[in-house]
Amino acid sequence: MKIIKLNFLLFSFMFLQLPLSAQTSNESMTSKGHTNKNKFKQLKEELATPNSYRTASGAPGRDYYQQKVDYVMDIELDDKNKRVYGEEMITYTNNSPDELSYLWLQLDQNIRKKNSPTLLKNTEGEGAMSNINDLIKENEVNSFVSKYLKEKFDGGFNISFVKDESGNHLDYTINMTMMRIDLPKPIKTGEQLKFSIKWWYNINNHVENRARSGYEYFPKDDNRLYVIAQFFPRLAVYNDVEGWQNHQFWGNGEFALNFGDYEVNIKVPDDHILDATGVLQNPKEVLSKEQYRRYKFAQTQTESPVFIVNQIEAEENEKGFSSKKKVWKFKAYNVRDFAFATSRKFIWEMMAVPIGGKNIMAVSMYPKEGNPLWEEFSTKAVVQALKTYSKYTFNYPYPKAVSVHSKNQGMEYPMICWNPGRPDIDGAYSLSVKYRMIYVIIHEIGHNFFPMIVNSDERQWGWMDEGINSFVQYLTEQEFGRKYLHLMDGFPGFPSSSGEPSQIVRYMSGDQSIIAPIMSNPENVYQLGPNAYDKPATALNILRETVMGRDLFDHAFKTYAQRWMFKHPTPADFFRTMEDASAVDLDWFWRGWFYTTDYVDIGVKEVKKLTFTDQPSGKAKEILENYQYLLDRYDLVFLSESPIEEEEMSLGVANSKSLNKIINDNSFNLPKNIYQVTFNKPGGLVMPVLVDYHFSDGSVQRVNYPAEVWRKNDEEVSKLITTNKELLRVELDPDEMTADINKENNTWPKTNEMSEFDQFKAKINN
């Protein structure tokens, strides 16, 4: 009897699988061959070959190198004429194995020259909007205003000289936003070159042209608030992947930069308050006695911010307009860039955040126009970002993180960033303004980790900083909500704008003609926000919650961050590390989510009830003819296949001497009901199949089939459910964890969901 039971289980399984493999035809025997199109094939073709610089594990190799570039700068901000003047001494250390006969530098301000080709491409501003209709409308308006109604702004670097350490002029060539310096003799491996550059440029109004830096003018008090970045010629990256990374700056693709040490002296009006990348070296010289006392006191205050300059003092300050100047001196070590913000309008607050045994300063700077919103939430958001990002990556290594109020948009630099969020004139603000301000501050502070420390090439792979950062931003927002906003404003937590799988459905189900794979250059993408920010953030959230599990994901993600902190990772380094540190094969995931524009659509194709029978069908006999040896050796019991609520279609039984005893005595505790559930996959993306089975006694069984169920059949998969209860309902992805774009095929029996209009009518009628 025991043997019969094993035979039954064996062949019931074989019967369900064999029709696909046992039946062949002359057509299939003679059809042409094909390449490997399996969704689970190795990702070898897409990734660079491992070498001594970057290993197959995703870690830096034994020969990994990166250049070091140090800057000593004297900067002056001319508030009256809205100009920046600068002179820098650059020390370039060649750690590569190659001799370099020329250097490439970035001149990003050149996109604002009158004759810049970027104006023909972008019309106005530096980046594209995510909504194509808004883009068209905005460009039409700005183009008209720019052409006919206002004086054409002339920005861009004006280079006074480029000299070597001895004062000799060096030859240089400017090509749009890149400058090549031709060297008298090559820089050999291990050698250093020192040279200087002097320049100036006109500062743009960043509010008018949505730029990453510039000034905002406040006509009521005739003041300006400056957020200054990309203000100096910066060395391009030379590495083992690109050689010189000298792709032009067109506006969307951000920056690829070197690590180095900075010593920067910034001359501004005497009544300005200023903060910047690095540590202030002369606080006693630039602060009043009371400001200095507060500044020192704040270094140890971990409970609440200390105002170095409060609102009353800032309002008095903005009336001044001193003709005197003072110099703020900063030093920063192992950073990839430098930026500063300055104005006589600033309120300035800071507090200490204990991280890794050190106090990190969380700082906010904002004009009175930012209150009451900024005083309430800015520094709190900075603190939460530093804590959460450190938990998932590494302890924040820099001495501070500064959030500066800027009207238009967020932008990030080492230790300092610009963030929007302005209340109405009367101080009122909407929930959307409040939450947008908080999530942008978290996002921009988070950029200190990606890419300021984990230093990816933003100009080519925007998702490596924006998408990865947006993912950790989502985790931070949820922690912020639990700490500060629980049940406030009617929300159970923070209403994140991205990260949840359901939030990316609209984009992924959109017009394929304007959707690009994540693995695209930012300049080639129509909808950069969903593509580089939201989709990769969602993908990583799904990877963490649904595919890998939190423990495996978090360990692998932290491994990546710590392997590549203060280095230059590529996409392959990320993909390989996530697999190397988790033992989870993710080639199928990277290929589907990052290299294609496929979408998730998994459905319940049909459900059949299987019963025992002693009447073999023609189909069963046909199959058995190919397996005669089984008939000769075993007692074989077949199952009949019957679509629920349809006429039974018997598929047969063969040579079952003990069938009646099996059925009648039930000596093997056979289940009363056996169901065959078939799932199909109209969408292209491979994903786990998450199912709730609802039974007649009210119970629900949740089964999460791994993505690997699709390995041998990319179209449909069948599973057996054995139970003594009656199956009443099958529901796919009940918690919306996979970004499935089509809910209509997610249930059996199918339910006719009311449209939003019908739901509205029903609500009114009730």
Side-chain angles (χ1 to χ4, degrees):
M1 296 297 291
K2 186 176 181 180
I3 295 176
I4 297 174
K5 181 180 180 183
L6 292 174
N7 293 338
F8 159 71
L9 293 175
L10 169 68
F11 209 79
S12 65
F13 170 76
M14 291 185 64
F15 172 75
L16 294 173
Q17 302 297 324
L18 286 175
L20 296 176
S21 59
Q23 295 179 3
T24 58
S25 65
N26 290 334
E27 181 180 353
S28 64
M29 293 284 289
T30 58
S31 60
K32 295 181 179 179
H34 61 275
T35 58
N36 185 355
K37 298 178 181 179
N38 189 292
K39 298 289 180 66
F40 290 86
K41 73 173 183 177
Q42 298 90 329
L43 204 63
K44 308 298 184 185
E45 298 172 7
E46 290 84 355
L47 302 183
T49 303
N51 52 47
S52 61
Y53 302 112
R54 297 168 192 270
T55 69
S57 70
R62 65 179 182 275
D63 294 327
Y64 175 83
Y65 71 87
Q66 59 192 40
Q67 311 293 61
K68 187 173 188 290
V69 188
D70 302 323
Y71 299 84
V72 176
M73 289 190 278
D74 291 309
I75 306 298
E76 181 174 357
L77 184 140
D78 183 343
D79 188 26
K80 180 180 179 180
N81 296 305
K82 297 165 289 186
R83 286 182 177 175
V84 166
Y85 296 90
E87 185 171 350
E88 62 187 346
M89 174 65 73
I90 300 174
T91 302
Y92 187 86
T93 304
N94 182 18
N95 293 319
S96 80
D98 308 318
E99 290 188 358
L100 303 178
S101 58
Y102 49 79
L103 305 176
W104 280 104
L105 287 85
Q106 303 180 32
L107 304 179
D108 305 301
Q109 291 293 333
N110 283 4
I111 67 170
R112 282 185 275 276
K113 282 188 173 292
K114 278 186 177 180
N115 60 350
S116 171
T118 58
L119 296 177
L120 299 176
K121 170 186 178 289
N122 293 339
T123 302
E124 286 285 335
E126 295 179 13
M129 300 177 194
S130 60
N131 184 293
I132 192 67
N133 293 322
D134 289 345
L135 175 66
I136 294 170
K137 180 180 178 181
E138 184 79 10
N139 277 350
E140 287 175 350
V141 172
N142 284 336
S143 179
F144 180 82
V145 171
S146 177
K147 186 173 183 179
Y148 297 107
L149 300 183
K150 67 180 181 181
E151 181 182 356
K152 190 72 173 179
F153 176 78
D154 190 14
F157 285 104
N158 298 275
I159 305 297
S160 301
F161 64 71
V162 180
K163 296 180 179 179
D164 66 16
E165 190 175 13
S166 301
N168 301 312
H169 287 273
L170 295 173
D171 293 334
Y172 64 89
T173 300
I174 295 176
N175 175 16
M176 291 175 56
T177 63
M178 302 298 298
M179 177 171 71
R180 188 187 70 239
I181 298 178
D182 297 315
L183 304 177
K185 62 177 183 178
I187 312 175
K188 296 181 179 180
T189 301
E191 287 186 345
Q192 287 186 337
L193 174 71
K194 291 187 176 183
F195 63 99
S196 61
I197 304 175
K198 186 176 182 179
W199 76 93
W200 66 271
Y201 70 87
N202 292 317
I203 306 173
N204 59 296
N205 184 325
H206 75 84
V207 176
E208 291 182 355
N209 60 20
R210 298 180 62 84
R212 286 181 166 84
S213 68
Y215 69 83
E216 177 185 358
Y217 179 63
F218 294 82
K220 187 174 180 179
D221 52 64
D222 193 31
N223 270 297
R224 298 182 186 88
L225 187 159
Y226 295 90
V227 287
I228 303 298
Q230 291 92 247
F231 65 91
F232 60 101
R234 303 177 296 177
L235 259 296
V237 168
Y238 183 87
N239 64 19
D240 62 287
V241 178
E242 296 289 328
W244 282 110
Q245 196 340 350
N246 54 10
H247 292 210
Q248 295 289 343
F249 180 46
W250 289 94
N252 284 332
E254 292 180 322
F255 312 111
L257 298 165
N258 304 274
F259 286 108
D261 301 333
Y262 286 73
E263 184 176 337
V264 184
N265 306 315
I266 309 169
K267 183 183 291 186
V268 296
D270 184 65
D271 49 4
H272 270 217
I273 293 296
L274 184 150
D275 211 342
T277 302
V279 176
L280 180 61
Q281 301 296 298
N282 60 335
K284 283 187 176 182
E285 296 176 14
V286 295
L287 302 179
S288 69
K289 288 184 178 180
E290 179 60 20
Q291 289 170 347
Y292 180 72
R293 184 193 69 79
R294 297 170 184 172
Y295 179 83
K296 296 298 288 184
F297 178 65
Q299 311 297 313
T300 58
Q301 298 308 298
T302 60
E303 297 300 321
S304 60
V306 174
F307 284 95
I308 315 305
V309 178
N310 61 37
Q311 182 164 333
I312 295 174
E313 294 164 339
E315 289 178 1
E316 187 63 29
N317 220 27
E318 67 186 15
K319 301 174 184 177
F321 299 96
S322 172
S323 60
K324 297 180 181 179
K325 297 287 184 77
K326 61 184 174 183
V327 178
W328 297 65
K329 300 179 180 180
F330 291 87
K331 287 185 179 180
Y333 299 99
N334 208 16
V335 295
R336 67 169 228 162
D337 202 359
F338 192 99
F340 66 93
T342 183
S343 177
R344 58 180 58 89
K345 293 178 65 65
F346 276 138
I347 301 165
W348 194 19
E349 64 176 71
M350 60 181 67
M351 66 179 286
V353 188
I355 295 176
K358 298 186 297 183
N359 278 352
I360 310 301
M361 300 310 298
V363 185
S364 292
M365 301 178 72
Y366 49 94
K368 64 180 185 296
E369 286 79 4
N371 270 339
L373 192 56
W374 272 69
E375 183 176 321
E376 175 67 19
F377 288 111
S378 175
T379 303
K380 289 179 181 177
V382 175
V383 171
Q384 191 64 60
L386 291 174
K387 288 181 176 179
T388 305
Y389 276 76
S390 294
K391 179 173 70 174
Y392 287 106
T393 58
F394 41 75
N395 290 331
Y396 184 70
Y398 291 139
K400 69 181 182 184
V402 185
S403 169
V404 181
H405 178 79
S406 175
K407 185 177 182 180
N408 264 350
Q409 60 186 4
M411 191 58 202
E412 70 278 1
Y413 303 94
M415 305 186 216
I416 192 167
C417 58
W418 333 136
N419 302 297
R422 183 165 297 177
D424 298 333
I425 294 176
D426 62 0
Y429 54 85
S430 65
L431 290 180
S432 63
V433 169
K434 168 183 171 178
Y435 286 116
R436 181 172 184 265
M437 176 197 129
I438 294 170
Y439 80 63
V440 174
I441 291 175
I442 290 173
H443 180 91
E444 304 305 344
I445 292 293
H447 270 308
N448 279 286
F449 294 80
F450 308 96
M452 301 304 150
I453 297 172
V454 182
N455 189 8
S456 57
D457 180 354
E458 299 177 88
R459 188 145 299 175
Q460 293 200 89
W461 308 115
W463 70 267
M464 285 197 75
D465 72 297
E466 300 297 357
I468 292 178
N469 183 45
S470 295
F471 162 68
V472 190
Q473 171 196 343
Y474 168 77
L475 300 178
T476 306
E477 288 170 352
Q478 298 310 303
E479 293 194 2
F480 184 93
R482 287 190 290 272
K483 183 173 182 179
Y484 296 111
L485 303 174
H486 185 59
L487 298 180
M488 284 181 62
D489 307 325
F491 297 109
F494 194 96
S496 297
S497 63
S498 64
E500 294 289 349
S502 60
Q503 293 172 311
I504 201 64
V505 165
R506 182 177 179 183
Y507 170 69
M508 293 184 70
S509 59
D511 182 355
Q512 285 285 334
S513 67
I514 56 172
I515 297 178
I518 291 173
M519 291 291 289
S520 299
N521 188 295
E523 301 297 346
N524 305 336
V525 176
Y526 276 106
Q527 303 172 80
L528 188 60
N531 175 276
Y533 295 68
D534 301 338
K535 185 179 175 183
T538 303
L540 294 178
N541 189 29
I542 291 174
L543 197 59
R544 182 174 188 257
E545 299 291 344
T546 303
V547 177
M548 299 176 69
R550 293 183 180 183
D551 289 344
L552 286 175
F553 180 95
D554 290 351
H555 172 75
F557 188 76
K558 181 174 284 192
T559 299
Y560 165 72
Q562 294 183 356
R563 276 180 175 178
W564 289 98
M565 61 187 301
F566 297 114
K567 296 182 177 66
H568 302 282
T570 67
D573 299 320
F574 177 66
F575 297 153
R576 285 171 167 148
T577 295
M578 291 300 292
E579 296 191 29
D580 179 72
S582 67
V584 180
D585 178 8
L586 296 171
D587 286 6
W588 60 272
F589 187 87
W590 308 129
R591 178 180 288 106
W593 276 90
F594 286 76
Y595 286 88
T596 78
T597 61
D598 285 347
Y599 49 83
V600 181
D601 183 11
I602 299 173
V604 184
K605 180 180 180 181
E606 63 181 359
V607 178
K608 295 179 179 180
K609 188 173 183 179
L610 308 179
T611 58
F612 299 111
T613 178
D614 57 2
Q615 301 296 321
S617 67
K619 186 176 182 180
K621 292 178 179 178
E622 180 182 343
I623 295 170
L624 286 170
E625 288 177 359
N626 294 314
Y627 296 91
Q628 184 63 44
Y629 72 95
L630 291 171
L631 290 174
D632 296 337
R633 295 178 60 187
Y634 298 111
D635 290 336
L636 300 173
V637 178
F638 270 82
L639 298 172
S640 69
E641 182 180 285
S642 175
I644 306 299
E645 299 177 357
E646 293 183 15
E647 184 178 353
E648 182 176 296
M649 295 184 298
S650 173
L651 295 184
V653 62
N655 196 25
S656 179
K657 299 174 183 177
S658 306
L659 178 60
N660 289 334
K661 186 172 181 60
I662 292 173
I663 296 174
N664 296 330
D665 295 351
N666 198 14
S667 55
F668 298 103
N669 295 318
L670 296 176
K672 293 180 180 179
N673 300 303
I674 302 177
Y675 297 92
Q676 176 183 299
V677 183
T678 301
F679 306 103
N680 62 357
K681 192 168 68 63
L685 275 186
V686 171
M687 286 296 288
V689 182
L690 314 182
V691 194
D692 274 0
Y693 295 110
H694 297 255
F695 297 100
S696 54
D697 65 349
S699 63
V700 179
Q701 180 187 6
R702 174 160 294 188
V703 180
N704 295 342
Y705 300 107
E708 283 73 11
V709 298
W710 304 104
R711 275 187 177 272
K712 295 183 179 179
N713 189 336
D714 192 47
E715 296 181 359
E716 64 178 48
V717 172
S718 294
K719 292 296 179 183
L720 281 184
I721 304 300
T722 59
T723 176
N724 290 322
K725 300 170 285 189
E726 184 179 356
L727 180 63
L728 298 183
R729 177 177 168 82
V730 180
E731 184 179 9
L732 277 173
D733 196 13
D735 297 327
E736 299 183 340
M737 298 293 290
T738 65
D740 194 318
I741 71 163
N742 179 20
K743 295 182 182 179
E744 293 183 0
N745 61 357
N746 280 18
T747 58
W748 171 91
K750 295 190 181 300
T751 57
N752 295 320
E753 295 185 1
M754 288 191 296
S755 66
E756 292 183 6
F757 180 68
D758 289 336
Q759 293 177 30
F760 174 76
K761 286 197 302 181
K763 185 176 181 180
I764 294 297
N765 293 335
N766 291 334

